[in-house]
């Protein structure tokens, strides 16, 4: 017993031992590594800052001095031809890929069948990969119902899900009746285009043979559902109001959003068709078509209604796919872009550096590593300091520039910062998975959709029967990061000189909130 006691460290002794070890490794190891990390993070911050300021300047010039799409490209409304009749209008295919979309299949099919276009010059193609036989039967019956009204609608199914959405779209274009079509409009299962969608997009493609794609903007039917959907709206509005607009106005290139767009089928064929090598088949096609010389047009004035993920679980899966896919595509296409001879050097630089590296890699990594790991670590290592311009001024300007896309939510900017910092954890992880082509690189989980009619019912059901599932509601990565930030905050109060403790505690609280899976009801939607 005495021997055991003599070899056992008391808590105070353990603290002393850990302190001694920390002091011994801090100067020769921790300090140099932290300084290197700060240098790299500041470099990435500057890159992101320059990119955001550049796009801000371009968007101002576009808004005040830029020509409208109708002025930059030839546009004339399509008119009837007495001799040719409806055959003067191009044949349009409308594709609706779906997978077990019980809540929204009627909305999307109804909206597609309601598109205003000569009835004999349009084909609605429902590509149903549903594995649930009940849902598949419901979708089939809905197609039959519209067919009985005279709509030329085709219900297509596969005996496998190879390639997921890309595989479905690729198979859809192989049918014989598609050979007569010139253009294909694509809408995900929760998208509801207005009746005049084709009248506003097809003329651009008809009169401008160099255009391969016309992309519309997204409009969210459930943006006010909760704080999480408001935060998503802020992030996506910046993407559409700034990134897509700048790409369209300056380079005639941007990433296809996978839906709410119209493609020239010849451009798809020349680019090599749909490929399932990444989880961002839409971006893959857009890059390949751009390297073939095709131009893209973005119409910010044309908005298509759709639904934002309203659960944290669904949003996390979506963000993993949206972050992992571009990074993996960057890895696969880097050499191909460099060797391409059909586009200018300036466009190559834009695609590689701006479109991929800064926006799809640097933006995710610097947000998490710098603001959630490195900056808090300087509290524990007072010998290393971060210049105020890097810790305060640059991130503040970047944040303000991101917020301009959604003026109505400007008062929620603090919540948006906290939300984006937490989500940067998953985006950074997914980015490295894509770059290293590891683990979940090809994971495809369809984003859950509730549909307008089911939202109130689902909310009432969730309120009456709260259920706790460890795997669904406890997220250990968020909780661990929150604990790290909380510890750094406590250390800053006790021993630090940086005075970051308020930021650290607030950010730790945000990680804890999302770690316990309560982000959906974190703050009312007012």
């Amino acid at each position: 017993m005495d021997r055991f006691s003599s070899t056992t460290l008391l808590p105070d002794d353990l603290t002393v031992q850990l302190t001694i070890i920390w002091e011994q490794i801090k100067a020769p190891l921790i300090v140099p590594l932290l300084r290197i990390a700060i240098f790299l993070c500041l470099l990435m911050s500057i890159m992101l800052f320059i990119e955001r300021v550049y796009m801000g300047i371009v968007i101002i010039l576009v808004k005040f001095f830029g020509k409208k799409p109708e002025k930059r490209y030839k546009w004339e409304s399509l008119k009837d031809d007495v001799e040719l009749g409806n055959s003067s209008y191009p044949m349009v295919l409308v594709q609706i890929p779906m997978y077990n979309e019980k809540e929204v299949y009627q909305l999307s099919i109804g909206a597609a069948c309601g598109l205003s276009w000569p009835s004999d010059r349009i084909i609605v193609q429902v590509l149903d990969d549903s594995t649930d036989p009940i849902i598949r039967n419901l979708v089939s019956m809905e197609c039959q119902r519209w067919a009985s009204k005279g709509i030329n609608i085709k219900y297509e199914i596969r005996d496998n899900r190879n390639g997921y959405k890309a595989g479905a779209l690729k198979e859809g274009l192989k049918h014989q009746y598609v050979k007569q079509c010139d253009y294909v409009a694509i809408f995900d299962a929760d998208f509801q285009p207005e009746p005049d969608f084709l009248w506003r997009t097809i003329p651009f493609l008809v009169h401008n043979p160099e255009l391969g794609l016309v992309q519309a903007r997204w409009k969210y039917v459930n943006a006010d559902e909760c704080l999480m959907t408001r935060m998503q709206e802020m992030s996506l509005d910046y993407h559409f109001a700034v990134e897509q607009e700048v790409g369209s106005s300056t380079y005639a290139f941007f990433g296809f959003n996978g839906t709410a767009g119209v493609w020239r089928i010849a451009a798809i064929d020349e680019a090599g068709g749909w490929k399932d090598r990444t989880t961002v088949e839409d971006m893959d096609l857009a890059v390949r078509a751009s390297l073939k010389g095709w131009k893209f047009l973005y119409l910010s004035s044309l908005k298509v209604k759709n639904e934002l993920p309203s659960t944290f679980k669904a949003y996390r899966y979506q963000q993993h796919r949206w972050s992992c896919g571009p990074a993996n595509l960057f890895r696969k296409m880097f050499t191909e872009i460099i060797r391409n001879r059909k586009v200018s050097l300036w466009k190559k630089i834009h695609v590689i550096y701006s479109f991929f590296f800064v926006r799809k890699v640097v933006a995710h990594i610097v947000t998490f590593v710098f603001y959630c790991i490195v900056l808090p670590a300087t509290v524990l290592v007072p010998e290393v300091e971060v210049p105020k311009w890097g810790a305060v001024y640059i991130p503040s300007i970047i944040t303000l520039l991101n917020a301009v896309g959604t003026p109505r939510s400007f008062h929620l900017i603090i919540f948006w910062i906290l939300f984006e910092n937490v989500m940067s954890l998953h985006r950074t992880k997914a980015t490295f998975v894509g770059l290293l082509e590891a683990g979940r690189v090809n994971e495809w989980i369809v984003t859950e959709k509730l549909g307008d009619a089911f939202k109130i019912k689902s909310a009432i059901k969730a309120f009456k029967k709260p259920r706790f599932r460890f795997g669904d509601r406890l997220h250990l990565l968020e909780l661990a990061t929150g604990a790290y930030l909380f510890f750094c905050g406590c250390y800053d109060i006790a021993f630090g000189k940086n005075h970051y403790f308020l930021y650290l505690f607030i950010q730790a609280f945000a990680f804890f909130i999302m770690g316990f899976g309560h982000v959906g009801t974190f703050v009312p939607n007012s």
Side-chain angles (χ1 to χ4, degrees), residues 318-381:
Q318 182 198 70
Q319 291 304 296
H320 174 85
R321 189 172 77 246
W322 285 5
S323 302
C324 178
N328 189 235
L329 181 63
F330 181 41
R331 170 191 170 116
K332 293 180 182 299
M333 293 208 66
F334 180 81
T335 304
E336 184 179 341
I337 296 170
I338 291 292
R339 294 177 178 175
N340 185 274
R341 296 182 179 180
K342 284 193 174 183
V343 298
S344 65
L345 176 62
W346 178 243
K347 191 168 186 178
K348 289 182 184 180
I349 293 174
H350 166 69
V351 174
I352 292 175
Y353 174 77
S354 180
F355 180 77
F356 273 119
F357 187 63
V358 176
R359 298 184 203 171
K360 311 302 182 185
V361 178
V362 167
H364 301 326
I365 294 176
V366 72
T367 302
F368 177 68
V369 175
F370 189 30
Y371 302 119
C372 300
I373 300 296
V374 174
L375 193 62
T378 61
V379 171
L380 308 177
V381 188

Side-chain angles (χ1 to χ4, degrees), residues 395-406:
S396 297
I397 295 174
I398 291 175
T399 300
L400 292 174
L401 290 174
N402 274 284
V404 298
T406 316

Side-chain angles (χ1 to χ4, degrees), residues 477-494:
L477 284 176
E478 285 94 333
L479 294 176
T481 306
Y484 165 72
L485 291 166
F486 184 78
F487 172 76
C488 292
C490 293
Y491 190 93
D492 195 23
I493 290 178

Side-chain angles (χ1 to χ4, degrees), residues 301-461:
S301 60
L302 180 58
K303 300 179 181 180
V304 180
K305 294 187 293 184
N306 69 101
E307 181 182 328
L308 293 166
S310 53
T311 66
F312 187 37
K313 180 180 179 181
Y315 186 60
R316 286 179 69 197
Y317 282 129
Q318 182 198 70
Q319 291 304 296
H320 174 85
R321 189 172 77 246
W322 285 5
S323 302
C324 178
N328 189 235
L329 181 63
F330 181 41
R331 170 191 170 116
K332 293 180 182 299
M333 293 208 66
F334 180 81
T335 304
E336 184 179 341
I337 296 170
I338 291 292
R339 294 177 178 175
N340 185 274
R341 296 182 179 180
K342 284 193 174 183
V343 298
S344 65
L345 176 62
W346 178 243
K347 191 168 186 178
K348 289 182 184 180
I349 293 174
H350 166 69
V351 174
I352 292 175
Y353 174 77
S354 180
F355 180 77
F356 273 119
F357 187 63
V358 176
R359 298 184 203 171
K360 311 302 182 185
V361 178
V362 167
H364 301 326
I365 294 176
V366 72
T367 302
F368 177 68
V369 175
F370 189 30
Y371 302 119
C372 300
I373 300 296
V374 174
L375 193 62
T378 61
V379 171
L380 308 177
V381 188
E383 294 89 342
V384 180
E385 293 185 0
V386 179
K388 186 173 290 186
W389 60 264
V392 179
Y393 299 146
I394 282 184
S396 297
I397 295 174
I398 291 175
T399 300
L400 292 174
L401 290 174
N402 274 284
V404 298
T406 316
R408 78 183 189 98
S409 297
F410 192 79
H411 63 290
L412 298 174
I413 193 168
I414 298 299
F415 296 109
W416 181 79
I417 294 172
L418 299 175
F419 180 77
E420 285 295 294
N421 283 354
V422 176
M423 290 310 305
S424 68
L425 163 64
H426 298 287
R427 293 173 183 145
T428 299
K429 177 185 174 184
T431 299
F432 280 115
V433 169
L435 288 174
L436 300 175
E437 208 161 38
R440 298 164 56 196
V441 65
N442 290 318
E443 180 184 65
W444 182 286
I445 296 178
V446 177
T447 304
E448 179 186 9
K449 307 171 190 72
L450 299 179
D452 295 336
F454 286 78
K455 291 188 184 301
I456 297 177
K457 179 191 253 185
S458 300
I460 293 174
K461 182 178 180 181

Side-chain angles (χ1 to χ4, degrees), residues 52-348:
R52 290 291 190 264
V53 171
Y54 163 73
M55 288 196 294
I57 293 173
V58 171
I59 206 66
I60 290 174
L61 295 176
V62 169
K63 293 297 182 184
F64 286 97
F65 305 106
K67 296 180 180 179
K68 294 183 178 180
E70 293 80 3
K71 299 295 183 180
R72 289 191 289 124
Y73 292 93
K74 184 179 179 181
W75 191 94
E76 293 180 6
S77 60
L78 302 180
K79 299 178 181 179
D80 294 334
D81 189 297
V82 177
E83 296 181 0
L84 297 177
N86 286 345
S87 61
S88 62
Y89 293 95
M91 197 74 181
V92 179
L93 176 70
V94 179
Q95 289 185 316
I96 311 174
M98 58 177 58
Y99 172 73
N100 292 338
E101 305 288 0
K102 182 179 179 181
E103 289 78 12
V104 294
Y105 73 92
Q106 288 181 309
L107 295 175
S108 58
I109 294 176
C113 292
L115 288 170
S116 175
W117 198 253
S119 59
D120 59 338
R121 306 301 292 171
I122 184 173
I123 303 173
V124 177
Q125 186 184 65
V126 177
L127 305 170
D128 189 13
D129 276 358
S130 298
T131 53
D132 187 326
I134 297 177
I135 297 177
R136 180 176 286 192
N137 186 54
L138 289 173
V139 176
S140 176
M141 291 175 60
E142 182 70 9
C143 292
Q144 293 175 18
R145 187 173 73 85
W146 282 102
S148 66
K149 296 182 179 182
I151 301 297
N152 188 1
I153 185 169
K154 308 291 184 180
Y155 177 68
E156 306 291 356
I157 59 175
R158 301 188 293 165
D159 57 4
N160 59 72
R161 287 195 68 213
N162 294 342
Y164 302 107
K165 179 181 174 181
L169 294 171
K170 184 177 181 178
E171 286 296 317
L173 292 178
K174 291 181 178 180
H175 293 281
Q176 191 61 35
Y177 57 81
V178 175
K179 304 301 180 183
Q180 59 185 313
C181 297
D182 303 297
Y183 310 106
V184 54
I186 302 171
F187 301 102
D188 281 351
D190 59 316
F191 277 71
Q192 305 164 51
E194 296 296 329
D196 64 347
F197 180 89
L198 296 178
W199 292 110
R200 298 175 64 179
T201 54
I202 296 297
F204 282 107
L205 295 165
V206 170
H207 299 302
N208 301 277
E210 73 276 18
L211 282 179
L213 165 69
V214 177
Q215 172 73 59
R217 183 171 177 170
W218 296 3
K219 179 181 179 181
Y220 322 106
V221 297
N222 64 330
D224 292 325
E225 184 176 346
C226 62
L227 180 68
M228 191 182 72
T229 52
R230 289 290 289 271
M231 301 300 98
Q232 293 178 62
E233 180 191 36
M234 292 181 70
S235 299
L236 287 171
D237 275 352
Y238 178 81
H239 168 69
F240 283 104
V242 179
E243 291 180 344
Q244 298 293 75
E245 189 71 77
V246 169
S248 177
S249 302
T250 55
Y251 310 98
F253 165 75
F254 48 83
F256 174 45
N257 293 116
T259 179
V262 185
W263 275 95
R264 187 186 302 272
I265 294 180
I268 296 177
D269 293 337
E270 186 180 352
W274 293 101
K275 294 185 178 181
D276 58 1
R277 56 181 175 171
T278 71
T279 57
V280 283
E281 74 295 324
D282 44 10
M283 186 182 296
D284 188 353
L285 177 62
V287 174
R288 286 185 283 112
S290 176
L291 294 179
K292 292 294 183 180
W294 291 99
K295 295 182 179 181
F296 304 157
L297 174 63
Y298 169 67
L299 297 179
S300 60
S301 60
L302 180 58
K303 300 179 181 180
V304 180
K305 294 187 293 184
N306 69 101
E307 181 182 328
L308 293 166
S310 53
T311 66
F312 187 37
K313 180 180 179 181
Y315 186 60
R316 286 179 69 197
Y317 282 129
Q318 182 198 70
Q319 291 304 296
H320 174 85
R321 189 172 77 246
W322 285 5
S323 302
C324 178
N328 189 235
L329 181 63
F330 181 41
R331 170 191 170 116
K332 293 180 182 299
M333 293 208 66
F334 180 81
T335 304
E336 184 179 341
I337 296 170
I338 291 292
R339 294 177 178 175
N340 185 274
R341 296 182 179 180
K342 284 193 174 183
V343 298
S344 65
L345 176 62
W346 178 243
K347 191 168 186 178
K348 289 182 184 180

Side-chain angles (χ1 to χ4, degrees), residues 476-520:
L476 299 183
L477 284 176
E478 285 94 333
L479 294 176
T481 306
Y484 165 72
L485 291 166
F486 184 78
F487 172 76
C488 292
C490 293
Y491 190 93
D492 195 23
I493 290 178
F495 310 105
K497 63 177 183 178
N498 293 328
H499 306 299
Y500 294 147
F501 61 88
L502 184 59
Y503 160 76
L504 294 171
F505 285 146
I506 294 175
Q507 187 64 70
F509 177 69
F511 271 96
F512 286 140
I513 286 291
M514 296 176 75
F516 284 110
H518 288 295
V519 65

